[in-house]
Amino acid sequence: MKTITIEGQLRSEYGKKATRQIRSEGQVPCVIYGGAETVSFSAPAIAFKNLVYTPDFQLAEVKLDGKVYRCVLKDMQFDVVTDELAHIDFLELVEGKHVSVTLPIKIVGQSEGVKAGGKLVVKIKALKVKALPKDLRENIEVSIDNLELNGNVRVQDVVAPNIEILNSPRIPIASVVMTRQLRQEEASADTKKK
């Protein structure tokens, strides 16, 4: 799994004034929680570019004063006016302790319905899951090989060993819909039969 390394400095001062000072220096205030202790730190805004602005699920290795924390991105806030990164929350990965994260879906295979002239429509792009840190992966593969025309692949059809999917099981992930051209061809075939 892809890991982004972020080097930061521990924060000693807190409050609005200290946070404004950190942001004015091009730094982003951050917090790591979920482990033995809550750690507040700051790091340059540029260090988060490859972690924040991507659809991929990645781990973050945060290095602070010689100590390394393995984390996942949990939450982030942006400035409402400038749209710059204002704050990031990380969740520390602790072996043997389940974490809830959002993993992207990767559609694999060729649908029978698409081969027959239908159009693949992807309804959701990610799943909320709960797993141990060792079972986390970059994405969840969803096969559409058996997907027929007007058929759906639902959350309940996803096979992900050692991962508990938290989304409702009836939600469709992808479906193959009939195109306008295919409907017109079927309608003209029906009128020829009569």
Side-chain angles (χ1 to χ4, degrees), residues 54-188:
T54 179
D56 301 333
F57 177 77
Q58 304 171 91
L59 296 180
E61 248 182 30
V62 181
K63 295 182 178 180
L64 304 169
D65 290 347
K67 199 170 177 190
V68 178
Y69 299 89
R70 278 187 67 229
C71 312
V72 291
L73 185 70
K74 195 63 179 167
D75 192 26
M76 54 191 156
Q77 287 110 30
F78 293 90
D79 187 287
V80 291
V81 176
T82 64
D83 207 31
E84 290 176 355
L85 200 52
H87 184 86
I88 294 186
D89 289 351
F90 288 100
L91 182 64
E92 187 176 354
L93 297 177
V94 179
E95 286 304 319
K97 188 176 176 185
H98 284 82
V99 291
S100 295
V101 295
T102 302
L103 293 179
I105 293 172
K106 181 180 180 186
I107 305 287
V108 293
Q110 284 288 321
S111 165
E112 294 298 322
V114 172
K115 288 178 188 172
K119 180 182 175 191
L120 180 70
V121 177
V122 178
K123 311 260 182 170
I124 57 174
K125 293 183 174 11
L127 290 173
K128 194 157 178 60
V129 301
K130 186 176 183 181
L132 290 171
K134 66 181 174 67
D135 296 323
L136 291 176
R137 52 183 94 149
E138 285 185 29
N139 55 45
I140 293 181
E141 289 189 356
V142 176
S143 173
I144 58 168
D145 286 331
N146 301 325
L147 192 57
E148 298 291 334
L149 201 56
N150 296 325
N152 289 315
V153 172
R154 298 185 186 277
V155 171
Q156 66 195 16
D157 302 326
V158 175
V159 178
N162 302 325
I163 292 179
E164 179 188 347
I165 298 173
L166 303 174
N167 296 67
S168 173
R170 298 292 301 152
I171 295 175
I173 294 173
S175 58
V176 175
V177 296
M178 196 176 277
T179 59
R180 185 181 304 149
Q181 181 182 357
L182 199 58
R183 263 187 299 230
Q184 288 171 345
E185 287 171 10
E186 281 189 2
S188 64

Side-chain angles (χ1 to χ4, degrees), residues 38-54:
T38 301
V39 181
S40 295
F41 71 100
S42 64
I46 194 84
F48 300 106
K49 186 177 150 206
N50 293 335
L51 184 66
V52 173
Y53 302 104
T54 179

